[in-house]
Amino acid sequence: MESRQYFDTVAPQWDNLREGFFSEAVRERAFDAAGAVAGKIAADIGAGSGFITEGLLKRGLRVIAIDRSGAMLGEMKKKFGPGAAVEYRVGEAESLSLDDGSVEYVFANMCLHHVESPPAAIREMTRILKPCGRLVITDLDRHDFDFLRTEHCDRWMGFDRPDVARWLAEAGLVDVKIDCVGENCCAASQGGCGEAAVSIFVASGMKI
Ligand SMILES: C[S@@+](CC[C@H](N)C(=O)[O-])C[C@H]1O[C@@H](n2cnc3c(N)ncnc32)[C@H](O)[C@@H]1O
């Protein structure tokens, strides 16, 4: 199964699955890294059913939620209803349908390990930031749990932090920081391949 089909299929269960994988502490760590403040506009890339978007709305931001899976965005729409300060867009992380300098923050939680080209996605996420805007990526450290590829359709088996820091710097971001979130992403194999526990990093940088 390819990634889009996988997420279209699991969309109705994603919130329950996500709760088993990682906690709200991940998004709080991301918001702290961004210094996210009310009244600003953020893009949530690979937004899924709205884990990051929900936290941003609670903090008083407006959100453009982008995901390649219409089914995941559909779940988010149902959850937040018509009055929410969210714009929903089906789209690809590597070719975002937003103008240069559109948003104050870009967040991507657990999306980078699904994209075809992580450096291209990071360049694109940087392009849509306003000057002084911040990109924050929360994702998996490198691991060797192959069942996350075969059962969860992951494209990359996590990342080495120096690579991620280099991609942010090459995209033109400054004040690049990368640190531990302080919690693992946990998943049990449905095919008898054991249990994964993978540490999560938070990477951030500012556009000049
Ligand atoms: C692991 S889920 C994370 C969803 C959400 N960010 C969360 O934390 O619950 C990854 C999401 O990224 C989306 N995705 C994967 N590759 C993508 C791409 N190239 N462009 C846009 N979205 C993508 C998937 O459809 C899925 O909704």
Side-chain angles (χ1 to χ4, degrees):
M1 193 187 290
E2 57 108 28
S3 163
R4 186 195 323 263
Q5 198 187 347
Y6 170 76
F7 284 108
D8 281 348
T9 305
V10 300
Q13 296 99 46
W14 181 254
D15 284 352
N16 282 339
L17 291 170
R18 197 277 308 153
E19 274 181 34
F21 296 152
F22 50 84
S23 80
E24 278 76 11
V26 175
R27 71 183 181 200
E28 294 308 318
R29 195 75 173 75
F31 300 156
D32 288 349
V37 292
K40 305 286 186 187
I41 182 155
D44 180 5
I45 311 299
S49 55
F51 173 65
I52 290 284
T53 295
E54 178 184 54
L56 291 169
L57 292 175
K58 283 183 183 161
R59 287 189 171 220
L61 288 90
R62 289 177 296 132
V63 185
I64 302 171
I66 299 174
D67 201 286
R68 60 156 43 158
S69 163
M72 289 291 260
L73 290 180
E75 291 299 318
M76 193 187 330
K77 269 189 205 170
K78 265 195 277 179
K79 193 161 52 184
F80 298 147
V86 186
E87 192 183 313
Y88 303 93
R89 295 194 189 190
V90 175
E92 291 289 330
E94 291 105 324
S95 55
L96 297 167
S97 61
L98 281 171
D99 290 339
D100 296 1
S102 303
V103 297
E104 270 110 359
Y105 309 103
V106 175
F107 294 92
N109 183 53
M110 303 297 163
C111 177
L112 200 67
H113 66 264
H114 287 284
V115 305
E116 195 56 35
S117 169
I122 287 170
R123 280 195 299 276
E124 188 63 352
M125 292 188 248
T126 300
R127 179 186 68 73
I128 65 168
L129 275 176
K130 293 182 183 189
C132 297
R134 284 196 176 265
L135 168 63
V136 180
I137 293 174
T138 32
D139 215 292
L140 304 178
D141 283 312
R142 185 172 294 285
H143 63 83
D144 57 6
F145 297 101
D146 197 48
F147 78 86
L148 295 180
R149 283 199 308 117
T150 54
E151 296 180 25
H152 295 240
C153 292
D154 289 8
R155 170 72 179 80
W156 300 97
M157 290 172 68
F159 301 101
D160 291 321
R161 293 185 192 186
D163 287 341
V164 178
R166 180 167 47 80
W167 296 332
L168 265 63
E170 286 173 356
L173 296 172
V174 298
D175 193 25
V176 171
K177 293 176 187 147
I178 187 153
D179 202 356
C180 293
V181 158
E183 103 168 32
N184 290 336
C185 178
C186 298
S189 166
Q190 300 303 302
C193 297
E195 293 192 11
V198 183
S199 56
I200 302 170
F201 67 80
V202 52
S204 64
M206 187 182 78
K207 185 160 174 180
I208 46 174

